[in-house]
Amino acid sequence: MITKSKLSADPTALILGIISLVIILFGCCCGFLAVVSLILSIIGLVTATNSLKDYYANPDVFSHQSKQNVYTAKIICIIGTVVSALFILAFAAAFMIYQISLSDLFKEKIEEINSNKANDSLFNNESVIEYKINDSIYKDSTYVDSLNSN
C-alpha cells in the first residue's frame, strides 16, 4: 500500500482556525482580542488555500483525508474571519457613538462656560433675566436707543 503525504497546512490551519474561534467566542469583551482572532484566522485561511492549491495541482501525492482536514480548516477560518470582522465593526461603531456623545457633552459644557462669561451681572450665578424692569441698565439703554431712532 502506498502512503500518501499530508498537506503542509493540515494541522496548522485547523489549529489556527480553532484558536481564532475560541478567542473570539470567549474573549469577545476585549476589542484587542478580536484583532488577534482576525489575524490568526486570516493566516489560517491563507495557508489552507495554498495547501488546497497544492493538492489540486498534484492530487496523487497527498491523501484525501488531509485534503478534507484542510478544507474543514478553511471553513473554520472563514467563519472566524467573518465573526472577528463583525466584532471589530461593532466595537468601532460603539466607539464612534461614544465619541459623538462625549463630544456633545464637551460642547454643552463649553457653551455653558461661555454663557457664564457673557453674563454681565454682579454675581456669578445671577442672570440678566432676573433683574426687574425698572432696575435694569440694559433696559434703560435700550429705551434711550429707541428714542434716538425716531
Side-chain angles (χ1 to χ4, degrees):
M1 180 172 187
I2 300 173
T3 58
K4 295 183 178 182
S5 63
K6 291 175 27 173
L7 289 167
S8 62
D10 184 5
T12 309
L14 191 61
I15 291 170
L16 288 174
I18 290 171
I19 289 173
S20 170
L21 283 178
V22 168
I23 287 174
I24 199 63
L25 293 178
F26 293 117
C28 63
C29 61
C30 181
F32 176 71
L33 291 179
V35 174
V36 171
S37 174
L38 181 67
I39 291 170
L40 289 176
S41 61
I42 288 174
I43 291 171
L45 184 62
V46 168
T47 57
T49 303
N50 288 339
S51 288
L52 286 176
K53 284 181 185 178
D54 291 342
Y55 177 80
Y56 291 126
N58 198 359
D60 296 332
V61 176
F62 303 107
S63 70
H64 183 69
Q65 182 62 39
S66 179
K67 179 211 166 227
Q68 291 298 330
N69 290 346
V70 171
Y71 187 74
T72 303
K74 183 177 178 180
I75 291 172
I76 290 173
C77 287
I78 289 172
I79 293 170
T81 303
V82 169
V83 172
S84 298
L86 288 175
F87 269 105
I88 289 172
L89 288 175
F91 281 118
F95 183 73
M96 295 297 278
I97 290 170
Y98 175 73
Q99 288 300 320
I100 290 171
S101 65
L102 189 62
S103 67
D104 288 342
L105 180 69
F106 282 138
K107 183 179 177 183
E108 290 172 4
K109 289 294 183 184
I110 289 172
E111 288 175 357
E112 182 181 320
I113 290 170
N114 287 339
S115 69
N116 284 339
K117 286 180 182 177
N119 188 359
D120 58 353
S121 64
L122 297 174
F123 300 103
N124 194 20
N125 293 331
E126 184 181 357
S127 66
V128 176
I129 299 170
E130 293 176 3
Y131 285 116
K132 295 180 181 177
I133 295 173
N134 295 332
D135 293 338
S136 176
I137 297 171
Y138 179 76
K139 184 69 174 176
D140 291 340
S141 65
T142 305
Y143 182 72
V144 171
D145 288 339
S146 64
L147 284 175
N148 290 335
S149 64
N150 286 334

